[in-house]
Amino acid sequence: MFYVLFLIATATRLMPHPPNLVCIGALGLFAGCYLRGRSAWLLPVGAMLASDVIGHVFRLPGMGFYNPAVFCMVYAGIAGSAMIGRRLSNNRTAVRIGGAAVASSIVFFLVSNLGVWFAGQYPPTAAGLIACYTMAIPFLTNTLIGNLLYSAVLFGTYEFSQSQWPSRLTELVSKQPALQPVFARKS
């Protein structure tokens, strides 16, 4: 199952999408919640790396390898989502998952844009740091939307598949009498 999620997360970065509206942060939350050890952060970081390699090879805009300071901080922000997801493992409610998606978005925003500032893309002053964060607010909005949307899909689908509902639905359907053809004549 996690291999499929890896492929889906990688694909969301390769398909046309608004900047930062991808599955990677939600995958980090999900992996942090359900996987143990290094796998929890390696899954989202690996999906990001795979998509960056593919983006670099095929010269996709906005993807590939870039300034090492920014690159490292972006990956640290992604690994942070797995650490936040770990806090969900004992108590997964919709409110907590939503809160974790918001927290993950904010951590990613703060860490990745600190890397942008460190890389010298803004003046090395407090005003430069404020300008860096201010200019990145549209990216935060997309990250929030992506993390909330994909977290709902990942956690919701998994929890539904683990519940008794799928087996109950199968049982209900199998107990229904065969439907009569619509055009059958009554005798």
Side-chain angles (χ1 to χ4, degrees):
M1 174 179 152
F2 287 99
Y3 295 117
V4 172
L5 293 177
F6 176 89
L7 293 173
I8 290 170
T10 302
T12 63
R13 287 202 68 224
L14 298 173
M15 297 182 302
H17 63 276
N20 290 20
L21 209 153
V22 292
C23 187
I24 301 289
L27 179 62
L29 292 173
F30 189 81
C33 181
Y34 292 107
L35 295 177
R36 294 293 156 244
R38 282 187 227 143
S39 301
W41 61 268
L42 281 175
L43 187 68
V45 167
M48 183 74 170
L49 183 60
S51 60
D52 274 336
V53 167
I54 293 167
H56 184 78
V57 168
F58 291 101
R59 300 174 193 255
L60 300 175
M63 297 182 62
F65 301 104
Y66 40 92
N67 182 293
V70 179
F71 189 83
C72 289
M73 296 299 270
V74 164
Y75 278 69
I78 291 165
S81 66
M83 303 311 153
I84 293 169
R86 179 104 359 135
R87 307 271 308 167
L88 294 171
S89 60
N90 293 329
N91 185 9
R92 294 175 305 274
T93 64
V95 171
R96 290 198 68 206
I97 292 167
V102 170
S104 175
S105 301
I106 292 169
V107 166
F108 181 79
F109 172 80
L110 293 173
V111 171
S112 63
N113 286 297
L114 187 60
V116 170
W117 183 69
F118 280 146
Q121 295 183 21
Y122 289 88
T125 62
L129 181 62
I130 291 169
C132 178
Y133 283 120
T134 302
M135 296 302 291
I137 289 173
F139 297 100
L140 172 61
T141 303
N142 287 349
T143 304
L144 277 166
I145 293 168
N147 283 352
L148 288 167
L149 172 71
Y150 286 113
S151 290
V153 170
L154 291 177
F155 283 93
T157 302
Y158 181 77
E159 292 297 330
F160 179 76
S161 73
Q162 298 301 306
S163 73
Q164 293 180 5
W165 274 100
S167 61
R168 287 185 184 163
L169 287 174
T170 304
E171 185 181 307
L172 286 172
V173 170
S174 67
K175 289 183 179 179
Q176 295 298 317
L179 296 175
Q180 297 292 323
V182 175
F183 297 108
R185 290 188 165 193
K186 293 186 179 184
S187 306

